[in-house]
Amino acid sequence: MREIAALTFITLDGVMQAVSLPEEDVSGGFTAGGWAADYWDPVMEQVQREAMAKPYDMLLGRKTYELFSGHQDSSMNNGHVYVVSSGLTDLKWDNVTLLSGDVVSEVSKLKKQDGPLLQIHGSWQLIQTLLSAGLIDEFRLWTSPVIVGAGKRLFDNDFGTRKLKLLKTAPTGNGAIMSIYRKPGQVAG
């Protein structure tokens, strides 16, 4: 059985929208895009060591896939890539499977298969859907000391109370903090 880890970059106030580029995601009138730029290099070094060193497959929403598809390289996609979309037809990577229809059902089927960790990168809408369904096993968060106010938040909806267990935390040296959390009762995979 596979597990799902959401890897995301957030502000102190929980926003995960438009991390690296000002024009990355301006939906809802968001104007603070690129808020993580000052922290990026040390954060990405830590991400490579802590979250991308072991084999994994990626699980992406359409917008994140389109953003990533122009940057295919060996550090991002040695594994298979699953893209959740109802309208995407042009898949630029060779090792991609399109998931459409009932997202929760399709991802639940993936979790029941043998294989490496399924790691979500970005993909706010996909994370919201999988959070509501209780399908995310681990949260790999990099929090930058930035407050942006409005924007898409990691925990945007009312999911009720959920307790998580802190597995690991470490600073990057420039003010960003890595925090890895799991559902209680689960052993890290």
Side-chain angles (χ1 to χ4, degrees), residues 169-186:
T169 187
T172 61
N174 67 352
I177 302 287
M178 172 193 72
S179 304
I180 299 177
Y181 299 94
R182 289 188 62 78
K183 289 180 180 178
Q186 293 184 316

Side-chain angles (χ1 to χ4, degrees), residues 100-107:
S100 59
D102 182 350
V103 173
V104 171
S105 175
E106 291 299 312
V107 172

Side-chain angles (χ1 to χ4, degrees), residues 32-177:
W35 53 263
D38 292 341
Y39 307 94
W40 201 248
D41 290 341
V43 165
M44 289 310 296
E45 288 172 17
Q46 193 179 59
V47 168
Q48 290 292 328
R49 279 191 320 271
E50 300 291 341
M52 298 174 84
K54 293 181 181 177
Y56 63 93
D57 289 343
M58 285 198 297
L59 182 58
L60 304 174
R62 178 192 54 82
K63 289 179 183 177
T64 303
Y65 172 74
E66 288 175 338
L67 182 67
F68 283 6
S69 66
H71 305 286
Q72 183 176 15
D73 67 34
S74 61
S75 68
M76 267 184 34
N77 63 337
N78 280 334
H80 198 81
V81 179
Y82 298 92
V83 180
V84 175
S85 175
S86 59
L88 188 64
T89 56
D90 183 23
L91 301 173
K92 297 177 183 348
W93 293 346
D94 295 332
N95 57 343
V96 176
T97 298
L98 183 63
L99 302 177
S100 59
D102 182 350
V103 173
V104 171
S105 175
E106 291 299 312
V107 172
S108 293
K109 288 177 193 174
L110 278 178
K111 282 190 76 165
K112 291 177 184 173
Q113 298 173 357
D114 289 330
L117 176 74
L118 293 165
Q119 193 161 254
I120 305 170
H121 292 221
S123 306
W124 178 82
Q125 188 172 357
L126 176 60
I127 287 174
Q128 300 309 303
T129 300
L130 298 182
L131 267 172
S132 292
L135 292 175
I136 298 177
D137 303 292
E138 188 169 285
F139 297 90
R140 298 173 174 193
L141 309 179
W142 274 264
T143 306
S144 294
V146 176
I147 297 171
V148 297
K152 295 176 182 174
R153 298 185 191 291
L154 174 60
F155 300 105
D156 194 39
N157 295 322
D158 181 19
F159 297 109
T161 302
R162 296 186 188 185
K163 294 184 179 182
L164 300 172
K165 179 181 179 184
L166 178 64
L167 295 182
K168 190 171 191 178
T169 187
T172 61
N174 67 352
I177 302 287

